[in-house]
Amino acid sequence: MKRVGKVAALAGLVALLATGCSGDEVLRFGWPVGVTEQADKMRWLWTWSVIAALVVGVIVWGLIFWSSAFHRKKKNADPAQLPRQFQYNVPLELFCVVLPLVMVCVLFFFTATTESQVLNKKPNPDVTVDVIAFQWNWEFDYPKEAKDSTGQTIKTVGSSGEIPLLVLPVGKTIQYNLRSTDVIHSFWVPEFNFKRDVFPYPDKNNQDPSFQNTIDRPGSFVGRCAELCGTYHSMMNFEVRALPADEYARYIQLRTQVNPATGLPNTASEALSALGCGQPCTPHAVTTQPFNTDRTARTATS
């Protein structure tokens, strides 16, 4: 038994080292890397839940192997003699009922606590974005920012030839107000580890159409519609562009100004180009691409 235990431990260690995973990756247990504070909270719930499950599994496996190894039928045992019976052992039965109940209550407590933290909304968020979904694209409005040169709300609207960019600041509390103009859509950014359905008339249907998060690092993150919403559902993508707070403030300032070349307020792409902060200011989406509307490109022959 000692030799078997040593071989099993050595095999487990070799398997772990052969994967090339870091300690952080191992403790994720397959949970994807998130870019928000809320995603980190969910990750820790997942990690400790898996650890608790593994502890229970190890105890159960140990009892099974122990019973199999040390309580097998003896060679000279009387076949008519039954092994010791435990069906009327009240303490054991209470233990088998109370312990699982305690485990479920603990898991429920931490799940409810994490859910409350993830869905918590501060009364005065730093940035508010109205997310408007429609077949089959997105519109992003900044109602609490300064107006553009025409007195209109700063907004970005996607088209069949352009992926809409949702530019947001890092380290700030952001509130997303979701609404659909037609059918049910779903706002999903995989790196947020969070998604929420986008309904038409959410207030009339007593639905909570908003949530908040805080992005903790700059980057470009693909966004998708996660609700089957019609013919071009799979092409209904957008991109979150997270910028440092000072660059975001400059971006909003540029959106309020007029582009001399067009005589119109700067678009998201034009403002990012004028901002000139390198790769984070790329004026087009880098995580996805527009749908090719040329029907001949999708035929079986040229």
Side-chain angles (χ1 to χ4, degrees):
M1 290 299 296
K2 291 182 178 180
R3 179 180 296 178
V4 172
K6 291 180 180 179
V7 172
L10 180 60
L13 180 61
V14 170
L16 180 62
L17 296 177
T19 62
C21 296
S22 66
D24 181 70
E25 290 173 327
V26 170
L27 289 177
R28 286 186 179 279
F29 297 109
W31 186 266
V33 178
V35 297
T36 67
E37 295 179 0
Q38 289 75 11
D40 289 337
K41 289 180 171 59
M42 291 184 281
R43 175 266 175 109
W44 281 111
L45 173 64
W46 168 257
T47 295
W48 286 107
S49 297
V50 174
I51 290 175
L54 288 174
V55 170
V56 173
V58 168
I59 294 174
V60 172
W61 298 330
L63 291 173
I64 291 174
F65 293 144
W66 179 72
S67 301
S68 302
F70 298 103
H71 292 274
R72 294 179 295 178
K73 182 179 179 181
K74 303 300 187 292
K75 291 182 179 180
N76 300 322
D78 182 2
Q81 183 179 2
L82 294 174
R84 185 180 178 186
Q85 303 299 298
F86 290 93
Q87 67 266 36
Y88 300 113
N89 190 315
V90 176
L92 181 60
E93 292 179 359
L94 288 174
F95 175 80
C96 292
V97 172
V98 173
L99 181 61
L101 181 61
V102 172
M103 294 168 59
V104 170
C105 290
V106 171
L107 181 60
F108 176 81
F109 170 78
F110 284 106
T111 300
T113 301
T114 302
E115 181 180 7
S116 177
Q117 293 173 345
V118 170
L119 298 180
N120 180 51
K121 288 185 284 190
K122 297 179 180 179
N124 296 305
D126 300 310
V127 177
T128 299
V129 180
D130 290 343
V131 178
I132 303 171
F134 58 92
Q135 293 177 313
W136 287 273
N137 224 306
W138 302 86
E139 176 182 331
F140 305 118
D141 298 354
Y142 298 81
K144 295 188 178 181
E145 303 290 357
K147 305 296 183 182
D148 64 20
S149 58
T150 64
Q152 301 297 315
T153 299
I154 296 174
K155 64 180 60 179
T156 299
V157 184
S159 67
S160 57
E162 184 177 3
I163 298 293
L165 301 177
L166 174 55
V167 182
L168 299 171
V170 171
K172 300 292 184 180
T173 300
I174 305 163
Q175 176 160 319
Y176 307 80
N177 299 323
L178 311 179
R179 177 171 61 87
S180 170
T181 62
D182 36 54
V183 300
I184 299 175
H185 300 277
S186 183
F187 181 87
W188 179 43
V189 180
E191 282 81 3
F192 287 179
N193 295 163
F194 184 94
K195 67 179 179 180
R196 172 159 288 182
D197 283 349
V198 185
F199 292 91
Y201 306 108
D203 296 333
K204 292 184 178 179
N205 291 295
N206 296 320
Q207 294 152 346
D208 184 0
S210 63
F211 70 95
Q212 295 180 357
N213 66 14
T214 301
I215 303 174
D216 55 23
R217 65 179 176 85
S220 301
F221 315 111
V222 68
R224 306 188 187 279
C225 175
E227 184 79 23
L228 182 59
C229 57
T231 305
Y232 299 109
H233 155 73
S234 62
M235 301 301 171
M236 190 173 165
N237 299 334
F238 62 96
E239 181 172 289
V240 171
R241 188 68 57 79
L243 301 178
D246 56 339
E247 294 180 357
Y248 171 79
R250 176 61 179 156
Y251 164 81
I252 292 296
Q253 183 182 12
L254 288 168
R255 291 297 306 270
T256 65
Q257 299 175 359
V258 173
N259 186 333
T262 63
L264 298 173
N266 283 312
T267 64
S269 297
E270 292 168 348
L272 288 172
S273 296
L275 187 57
C277 58
Q279 191 278 334
C281 288
T282 303
H284 56 79
V286 297
T287 60
T288 183
Q289 58 187 9
F291 176 59
N292 187 352
T293 57
D294 182 4
R295 298 183 64 182
T296 62
R298 303 190 298 277
T299 57
T301 63
S302 58

